Structures are given as C-alpha cells and as structure tokens.
Amino acid sequence: MSTDRTRPAGRRDQSGPRSAPSGPRPTPGGPRSVPLQRSRRLQPHRPQRPHQWFAERLLAVLSGQRPVHWMLGHTIGEAYDQLAELAPSTPLRATHGSRPVLRHCRGAQPATGVVEAFASIAAGDRVRAMAFRLEQGADQRWRCAAVELGGERLTAGAPGCR
C-alpha cells in the first residue's frame, strides 16, 4: 500500500491531484455564493415511484420516441399486445412541433401489490389523460396490466385511437 496520500494506491505517475480554481463558481441563473456541486449534495435524492417511471416509458412508446419492444418484460396479460397494436399509430404524438411531456402523475394503492395511476400528457395546447394499472409480481417487479387513454380502453380499432 502506498504511503503517499496525494494519489490513489496503484497510481504510478508522479503528479498529484490537480488544484481547483479558488472561489465560488458561477452557476446558471445568476451569481451565487454556493458552488453548484455543494448545492446538489444538499438536496435529498428521492427515487422515482413505479407509476411515475412507467408513465414516462409509456409516453415514450405511445408518442413514437421508443419502440414497443422496449416494454417487453414490463407488461403482463393483454397490455403488451394492446401496446404493440397501437404503437405504430402513435396516439400521443407531437402536435404542431411540440413534443409531448408528462405534466402530472399520481397513483393510488387500492390493494397490496397494486397501483392504479393516472397521468396528464401535454403536447402544445393539447392535454390528454392516461390511466394504467400496475401489479407487483412474486419477483417484486412492477408490470403494467391495463392501459386507458382519454377515457377509452386501448384496443386495436377502438374509436378515438388514431
């Protein structure tokens, strides 16, 4: 083990750590006295909840940003078949050049291992609603079991699906 504390063990070159510029660094949005790295460390990291994570993935598939096979392993039952039939029509596609974004996503847990969630998706001046159900398997992974868009169940040929 190396006794030199200025470089990691196993490092063979003779240069030490590089010195950082003195003083606070400017951050986007105006001058601040707290360096950017320090302010990021002060904010607690909250992991995304399963329904938020899934809403982002579902939006990416239904807007055409990702292929439907990206959802393999994340759906059960007929949900994947529904997505596979609908993905080519991109029902949440961009309108007037505005890329769709997830505005709100909320979930409720009516039973252990089940989350029923809803989300609002905005693209330009248009807002769409999406609802889905997640079920937790024996392996503790969440999978989508049902999806609805704009009040109608997502099935091939359903009225209102474009």
Side-chain angles (χ1 to χ4, degrees):
M1 178 146 169
S2 174
T3 58
D4 186 358
R5 296 187 190 274
T6 61
R7 61 178 181 248
R11 185 170 173 175
R12 298 184 193 279
D13 64 349
Q14 296 301 314
S15 65
R18 300 189 197 288
S19 62
S22 61
R25 287 187 287 170
T27 58
R32 293 178 57 156
S33 61
V34 178
L36 183 60
Q37 284 181 335
R38 181 175 170 88
S39 66
R40 281 188 183 158
R41 277 187 272 144
L42 295 177
Q43 297 174 353
H45 174 64
R46 289 185 358 185
Q48 244 185 352
R49 297 191 174 200
H51 59 276
Q52 294 167 329
W53 179 84
F54 188 83
E56 290 285 349
R57 291 181 78 90
L58 187 59
L59 172 61
V61 170
L62 294 176
S63 65
Q65 298 171 35
R66 291 287 188 165
V68 72
H69 67 264
W70 196 47
M71 297 301 294
L72 274 173
H74 299 291
T75 54
I76 56 175
E78 295 180 17
Y80 181 79
D81 294 335
Q82 292 169 351
L83 289 174
E85 291 179 20
L86 280 171
S89 66
T90 59
L92 296 178
R93 67 185 167 277
T95 58
H96 302 101
S98 297
R99 185 174 168 178
V101 294
L102 186 65
R103 286 180 40 179
H104 301 286
C105 184
R106 303 281 188 264
Q109 195 166 6
T112 303
V114 175
V115 173
E116 292 180 348
F118 64 92
S120 62
I121 287 84
D125 59 351
R126 188 174 181 195
V127 178
R128 302 280 307 262
M130 176 174 63
F132 52 93
R133 178 182 174 99
L134 300 177
E135 295 178 1
Q136 193 172 30
D139 60 357
Q140 301 301 306
R141 290 182 55 201
W142 291 95
R143 292 179 181 87
C144 179
V147 179
E148 292 185 16
L149 184 64
E152 296 188 24
R153 188 168 181 83
L154 287 181
T155 57
C161 293
R162 294 176 225 146

